[in-house]
């Protein structure tokens, strides 16, 4: 059996606020596990916008102190009793649950999956949450078909780059938005058909020009408050606005009668409700890893930050400085 220490490095919050509430500790208790759980020594931890929502209080933390973070890859160092889906000590896994910003995490075995040996280090954590979000959105929130015209906001962001690559692989026509020239280039290289710099260009007129005045059949909008009206403006008759995030703030209360103008659908999905059963979880994770290993989709890593420097990671993500995935190294 691996020797597991009693304390670990980790990041907690005991109140909500700016990055000053992130407390790096070197003596947190290593969590205990119960039946159905595994203890994972994390190698790389994914940073996601949702972590900032729990930090600011936009999403309420279940308790304080609270360890942020929803995904990591690492090695199983202890296995609890009961059904652990065949996972064993020594297995390299990726997982999606709570309490990731730490050296060790107790994880429901149902939310972890063994990584293929061919998958290089970092890629499990880089791909998991954002890649699965993109995959489930285009399969279930609005099933996109070859030739469809769709719009992806923040197309050079972590989730945006996955959406663009996956949509490209099914032959959709992708209009992206991004705020800088560098981000526009990146989204084009990832496979977008056309990318609009929404910091100064007129998105609506370009979308209607590109789509023969029809609009797009689906808008994938993780930006939220600042793009919501635009998303309703550019969606086609009978199309879908998939509002899946709040990077610019939460979408304010909305009068549903506005949807009648185009018989549009509005949806507000979360990843965790698409991967709630083991069958859904395994199916989508394996499919995503196949896209990476067999089809060469790129889990673009922006930067690996030391866990002790987690505030810089949050500042960069919220400051729109990043493209692709931010990871934390819990050993530093
Ligand atoms: P990103 O890497 O996409 O970063 C967010 C991007 O949003 C920025 O880079 C920026 O791109 C754009 N943006 C526009 N306005 C703002 C603003 N005011 N402040 C900050 N960013 C802004 O992050 P993620 O991939 O982690 O997340 C993207 C969205 O997807 C988030 O809203 C997140 O909550 C959501 N999400 C939802 C999930 C779900 O289950 N529903 C799961 C995963 C992610 P630019 O500069 O080009 O505008």
């Amino acid at each position: 059996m691996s020797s597991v220490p009693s304390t670990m490095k980790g990041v907690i919050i005991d109140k909500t606020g700016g990055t000053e509430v992130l407390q790096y500790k070197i003596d947190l208790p290593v969590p205990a596990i119960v039946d159905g759980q595994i203890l994972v020594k994390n190698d790389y931890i994914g940073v996601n916008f949702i972590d900032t929502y729990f930090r600011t209080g936009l999403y309420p933390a279940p308790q304080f102190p609270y360890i942020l973070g929803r995904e990591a890859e690492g090695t199983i160092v202890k296995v609890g009793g009961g059904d652990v889906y065949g996972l064993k000590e020594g297995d390299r896994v990726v997982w999606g649950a709570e309490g990731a910003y730490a050296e060790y995490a107790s994880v429901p075995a149902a939310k972890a999956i063994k990584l293929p040996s061919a998958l290089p280090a970092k890629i499990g954590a880089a791909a998991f949450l954002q890649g699965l979000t993109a995959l489930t959105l285009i399969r279930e929130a609005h099933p996109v078909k070859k030739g469809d015209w769709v719009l992806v906001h923040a197309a050079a962001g972590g989730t945006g780059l996955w959406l663009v690559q996956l949509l490209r692989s099914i032959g959709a026509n992708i209009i992206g938005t991004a705020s800088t020239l560098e981000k526009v280039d990146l989204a084009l290289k990832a496979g977008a058909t056309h990318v609009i710099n929404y910091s100064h260009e007129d998105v609506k007129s370009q979308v209607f020009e590109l789509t023969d005045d029809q609009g797009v059949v689906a808008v994938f909008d993780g930006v939220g408050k600042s793009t919501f009206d635009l998303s309703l403006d550019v969606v086609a008759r009978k199309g879908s606005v998939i509002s899946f995030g709040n990077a610019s703030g939460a979408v304010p209360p909305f009068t549903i009668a506005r949807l009648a103008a185009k018989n549009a659908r509005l949806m507000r999905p979360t990843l965790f409700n698409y991967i709630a059963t083991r069958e859904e979880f395994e199916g989508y994770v394996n499919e995503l890893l196949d896209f990476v290993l067999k089809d060469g989709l790129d889990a673009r890593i922006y930067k690996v930050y030391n866990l002790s420097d987690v505030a810089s990671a949050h500042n960069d993500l919220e400051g729109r400085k990043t493209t692709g995935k931010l990871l934390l190294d819990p050993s530093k």
Side-chain angles (χ1 to χ4, degrees):
M1 217 219 274
S2 320
S3 73
V4 178
S6 56
T7 59
M8 64 176 187
K9 298 168 190 153
V11 173
I12 58 157
I13 56 169
D14 58 18
K15 59 177 184 243
T16 56
T19 51
E20 72 285 349
V21 303
L22 297 164
Q23 299 177 45
Y24 176 71
K25 303 274 190 189
I26 57 165
D27 55 358
L28 294 176
V30 169
I33 54 169
V34 297
D35 282 359
Q37 290 189 332
I38 53 174
L39 186 68
V40 180
K41 184 172 195 308
N42 295 323
D43 294 325
Y44 294 98
I45 301 157
V47 178
N48 292 287
F49 235 94
I50 193 171
D51 308 338
T52 71
Y53 305 150
F54 279 104
R55 195 205 70 223
T56 60
L58 179 64
Y59 293 176
Q63 79 278 325
F64 291 118
Y66 184 62
I67 299 181
L68 297 174
R70 295 256 149 170
E71 66 176 337
E73 73 175 51
T75 305
I76 299 179
V77 291
K78 211 188 260 185
V79 175
D83 188 2
V84 291
Y85 299 92
L87 295 171
K88 293 186 301 296
E89 210 180 297
D91 284 349
R92 197 166 68 99
V93 291
V94 65
W95 61 268
E98 289 185 72
Y101 283 13
E103 278 184 292
Y104 293 86
S106 59
V107 178
K111 302 298 172 195
I113 199 160
K114 189 174 173 181
L115 287 170
S117 54
L119 196 78
K122 305 188 187 81
I123 304 302
F128 183 83
L129 200 147
Q130 293 169 340
L132 288 178
T133 300
L135 185 56
T136 54
L137 288 180
I138 67 169
R139 281 288 155 67
E140 299 205 38
H142 181 101
V144 178
K145 296 188 301 295
K146 186 174 180 181
D148 282 348
W149 279 94
V150 299
L151 178 73
V152 175
H153 283 305
T159 309
L161 284 172
W162 282 108
L163 277 166
V164 170
Q165 293 183 88
L166 289 165
L167 287 162
R168 174 73 176 203
S169 76
I170 57 175
N173 297 303
I174 309 145
I175 305 173
T177 61
S179 71
T180 68
L181 199 56
E182 187 213 348
K183 291 182 178 186
V184 168
D185 281 349
L186 193 61
L188 285 170
K189 286 199 184 95
T193 316
H194 184 84
V195 183
I196 305 168
N197 186 330
Y198 59 0
S199 60
H200 63 267
E201 292 177 37
D202 181 355
V203 176
K204 193 173 166 181
S205 66
Q206 290 194 45
V207 168
F208 281 105
E209 201 173 303
L210 286 159
T211 58
D212 286 337
D213 283 331
Q214 299 301 301
V216 286
V217 298
V219 184
F220 295 98
D221 186 347
V223 172
K225 189 176 180 181
S226 68
T227 47
F228 184 70
D229 286 336
L230 173 63
S231 297
L232 285 175
D233 282 350
V234 298
V235 76
R237 187 174 64 86
K238 300 196 278 185
S240 307
V241 173
I242 310 299
S243 178
F244 65 97
N246 330 281
S248 67
V251 175
F254 163 80
T255 309
I256 57 170
R258 284 177 68 190
L259 297 173
K262 297 179 188 171
N263 289 10
R265 293 185 185 83
L266 172 64
M267 193 176 184
R268 198 352 183 145
T270 72
L271 168 63
F272 289 95
N273 283 326
Y274 284 133
I275 54 170
T277 68
R278 182 68 186 179
E279 194 186 353
E280 290 168 331
F281 180 80
E282 271 183 18
Y284 276 123
V285 176
N286 288 331
E287 193 179 354
L288 179 70
L289 294 178
D290 273 355
F291 272 116
V292 175
L293 285 170
K294 298 190 182 141
D295 301 322
L297 263 64
D298 181 21
R300 181 190 161 86
I301 297 168
Y302 172 75
K303 188 171 164 182
V304 181
Y305 297 75
N306 294 346
L307 182 60
S308 57
D309 198 21
V310 61
S312 300
H314 277 218
N315 281 329
D316 290 353
L317 185 63
E318 291 172 291
R320 302 171 80 162
K321 292 191 183 133
T322 67
T323 48
K325 188 72 196 177
L326 289 69
L327 296 176
L328 300 169
D329 176 349
S331 71
K332 296 179 188 157

